[in-house]
Amino acid sequence: MKLMRQVREFAEMNDFKTEWDIRLPSSMVDPLVGLILKRAAKQLRVVQEDLAEVVGCDLRTDRAHLLVEELAELFEGMAERDIIETSDGLADLAYVVAGTAATFGLPLDALCDEVHASNMSKDFGEHKPVKGDRYFAPDIRRVLETNMTLRSQR
């Protein structure tokens, strides 16, 4: 699967972290973070239950239900510092994101490339990237128009 290979190769994200020397703040190791992640996961489960009531009615709610479910799983694994559950949740989420893009006919590879290029155009501010002089916003419309035209020509 081309997309999943590219997700695995999305080490370009490391370019971004390396470029800006982003490090985890000390607050990330604070036990409070676990509580916050647990609370966020619990809130996501409520949203998941709400979406479950309309699953099968619309592709948007079907995909949203899956995305919320996997994000909650990821947060739960992170809250428990469980690398297996975190990895599973992250992989499941990536898989559902790819499936959602396919469901809606969106060129996820090209969209990710465009967003990555935009993120790399940011300047480094105080502890985080900022939109400076060399920043450019991702041109999502162009990516969609280009890729939809290519797809329709096949």
Side-chain angles (χ1 to χ4, degrees):
M1 211 179 183
K2 179 182 176 189
L3 181 61
M4 295 315 291
R5 185 185 77 245
Q6 287 181 330
V7 168
R8 283 191 299 273
E9 293 173 357
F10 207 65
E12 292 173 349
M13 288 304 296
N14 287 327
D15 294 348
F16 188 73
K17 289 189 284 187
T18 302
E19 174 88 11
W20 308 119
D21 193 30
I22 296 173
R23 299 181 200 317
L24 292 176
S26 59
S27 63
M28 291 295 289
V29 296
D30 190 317
L32 180 60
V33 172
L35 295 174
I36 292 168
L37 287 168
K38 284 179 187 175
R39 186 174 70 191
K42 186 176 180 180
Q43 291 170 335
L44 286 168
R45 293 295 185 194
V46 170
V47 172
Q48 180 187 353
E49 289 172 17
D50 290 344
L51 288 166
E53 293 180 21
V54 291
V55 164
C57 297
D58 187 293
L59 275 176
R60 295 170 300 169
T61 54
D62 294 356
R63 298 313 298 184
H65 180 264
L66 292 170
L67 289 162
V68 168
E69 178 181 4
E70 300 307 343
L71 185 58
E73 182 181 314
L74 173 61
F75 281 14
E76 289 162 355
M78 291 168 57
E80 297 299 324
R81 297 177 187 239
D82 183 329
I83 193 67
I84 302 297
E85 289 302 316
T86 298
S87 299
D88 181 58
L90 188 58
D92 286 345
L93 184 58
Y95 194 81
V96 173
V97 165
T100 300
T103 297
F104 295 123
L106 300 174
L108 187 57
D109 296 336
L111 291 166
C112 287
D113 288 345
E114 181 69 12
V115 169
H116 176 69
S118 171
N119 282 337
M120 293 305 295
S121 74
K122 292 178 180 178
D123 292 327
F124 189 70
E126 190 173 320
H127 306 293
K128 68 175 195 166
V130 294
K131 298 173 184 175
D133 292 340
R134 57 186 207 119
Y135 171 75
F136 62 89
D139 191 348
I140 301 299
R141 180 177 305 281
R142 179 191 55 77
V143 172
L144 291 175
E145 288 172 350
T146 300
N147 285 275
M148 298 307 184
T149 301
L150 291 174
R151 191 173 289 156
S152 67
Q153 292 174 352
R154 290 183 192 162

